[in-house]
Amino acid sequence: MTQREHAVSFTGAVKTYGEVRAVDGIDLEIARGETVALLGRNGAGKSTTISLLLGLNVPDEGSVELFAAAPERAVRAGRVGAMLQEARAVPRVTVRELVTFVASRYPAPMPVARALELAGIAELAGRRVDRLSGGQTQRVRFAVALAGDPSLLVLDEPTAALDVEARHAFWDSMRGYADRGHTVLFSTHYLEEADAHADRIVVVDRGRIVADGTGEELRRAAGGNLVSVDLAGHDADGLALLPGVRSVEVRGQRARLRTDDSDATVIALAALGAIRGLEVAPASLDDAFLALTSSHRAPDRTPDIPSDAPSGETPREAETV
Ligand SMILES: Nc1ncnc2c1ncn2[C@@H]1O[C@H](COP(=O)(O)OP(=O)(O)OP(=O)(O)O)[C@@H](O)[C@H]1O
Ligand SMILES: [Mg+2]
């Protein structure tokens, strides 16, 4: 074992379900001690990636290693704690009994009281696990993931059912854990969470990594600024051809232009006489995400976008990332 050994290493990993390439050639290395967010819309391949990482699924092509060995080996050695997305049938035991049982399966677990406290469920210790609310159950699952004091913590949408307060408490615990040198990989739909709590954001779309960097790097990669103007009767045709413009989105009478050179774009708009209600703003992280993922394109560019989205997928709105 070397100092430079990665916690997680995907090499050309592919996992198909019939026609669907759920994971479509992922190369990813996560260093020890890193906190990485896996960000993507519904069906992007986050959970499948996590299942490969945990050895619950085997890649059809390529390979996955944890701590330079097969995932099963790291899992069996108690180096990995996981919180999966799908709900499992929970046994009729108390929270404390469940966490104690899980902890006992690990070579060097943390004290059960500590796991309960970190997950914010100390007061639920004597309650039956099959009689808890959705958010409480989720916190129990977090305690279960922590119980073994694993080197690598893998959390699939850990905050999905949590209320605002529980969410804050969860992130405090997670960061405390990460700050002690542990490696954390969590998936989320929420850009703010990824930006606020991860060292690095890996954006997954249709089974592929489409971006990998800090929030700031993603913003930059997705194109600098947004220029919006009232169309005021003007045609939106041709806006996409203005200097600097990468994409155009028209909503009602307003056009939003993503541009790499807002000065040049504004000057060109002025030359067209189309600068009513002008606004220039830096692209937000949400804008970056939408620019990076393939389902969201400017209307005037749709004809050349292949319609290869798996059928049955609903189109996504900006608000539902
Ligand atoms: N067991 C399975 N059998 C068939 N198809 C599957 C299976 N699991 C996932 N898929 C498909 O693989 C793709 C990726 O699914 P995955 O669950 O990895 O997405 P996700 O990013 O976790 O989505 P979500 O945000 O909704 O949890 C989807 O198109 C999904 O329908
Ligand atoms: Mg999922």
Side-chain angles (χ1 to χ4, degrees):
M1 194 192 300
T2 66
Q3 272 309 97
R4 301 171 64 81
E5 169 192 288
H6 285 101
V8 175
S9 178
F10 280 72
T11 311
V14 172
K15 174 68 195 170
T16 55
Y17 292 112
E19 299 282 280
V20 180
R21 292 177 76 83
V23 167
D24 193 10
I26 284 198
D27 291 298
L28 174 67
E29 292 197 325
I30 300 177
R32 287 173 176 231
E34 261 191 308
T35 299
V36 174
L38 208 53
L39 180 70
R41 58 204 176 97
N42 289 132
K46 303 180 296 297
S47 295
T48 308
T49 301
I50 286 173
S51 75
L52 293 177
L53 188 155
L54 296 172
L56 299 172
N57 261 317
V58 178
D60 303 322
E61 292 169 36
S63 62
V64 180
E65 289 190 340
L66 299 186
F67 304 106
E72 302 77 30
R73 200 161 137 197
V75 170
R76 240 185 291 120
R79 302 179 83 176
V80 187
M83 182 171 165
L84 298 178
Q85 184 175 26
E86 79 263 25
R88 295 258 180 95
V90 280
R92 295 161 61 165
V93 296
T94 67
V95 171
R96 185 185 290 106
E97 285 166 345
L98 176 65
V99 177
T100 303
F101 171 74
V102 173
S104 73
R105 315 268 301 180
Y106 281 81
M110 67 169 71
V112 169
R114 175 91 186 114
L116 296 178
E117 185 200 324
L118 279 174
I121 50 170
E123 73 284 8
L124 299 177
R127 297 271 299 275
R128 264 175 59 169
V129 292
D130 54 347
R131 294 194 182 154
L132 298 174
S133 75
Q136 289 169 337
T137 303
Q138 199 152 346
R139 288 193 259 169
V140 170
R141 289 163 54 221
F142 183 42
V144 163
L146 288 168
D149 203 7
S151 315
L152 170 65
L153 192 55
V154 181
L155 309 164
D156 198 357
E157 293 190 33
T159 61
L162 301 184
D163 64 32
V164 177
E165 212 181 323
R167 211 168 262 239
H168 281 295
F170 167 81
W171 288 119
D172 281 349
S173 292
M174 191 285 282
R175 293 178 72 148
Y177 199 74
D179 287 346
R180 286 168 45 215
H182 296 108
T183 311
V184 180
L185 175 71
F186 68 88
S187 75
T188 181
H189 301 139
Y190 302 112
L191 281 152
E192 317 79 56
E193 287 194 345
D195 195 28
H197 305 294
D199 304 324
R200 180 176 157 203
I201 303 174
V202 174
V203 183
V204 180
D205 195 42
R206 297 184 190 187
R208 294 170 186 241
I209 293 174
V210 295
D212 182 345
T214 62
E216 191 46 44
E217 284 165 350
L218 296 196
R219 262 183 220 105
R220 251 183 281 132
N225 289 298
L226 280 178
V227 172
S228 6
V229 283
D230 284 335
L231 287 170
H234 278 85
D235 216 325
D237 289 353
L239 293 181
L241 302 174
L242 295 180
V245 174
R246 285 196 185 192
S247 65
V248 178
E249 187 190 326
V250 177
R251 285 194 191 159
Q253 271 304 296
R254 209 146 167 86
R256 282 155 47 94
L257 288 66
R258 180 184 310 287
T259 172
D260 293 329
D261 185 348
S262 50
D263 291 346
T265 305
V266 170
I267 290 166
L269 279 169
L272 288 176
I275 53 165
R276 286 183 50 186
L278 177 75
E279 277 176 27
V280 181
S284 69
L285 205 51
D286 279 288
D287 293 319
F289 180 81
L290 292 170
L292 290 164
T293 54
S294 50
S295 67
H296 193 90
R297 301 282 179 151
D300 59 332
R301 299 224 175 146
T302 40
D304 58 351
I305 305 300
S307 54
D308 57 355
S311 58
E313 266 195 10
T314 47
R316 298 191 57 79
E317 297 295 330
E319 296 72 28
T320 55
V321 168

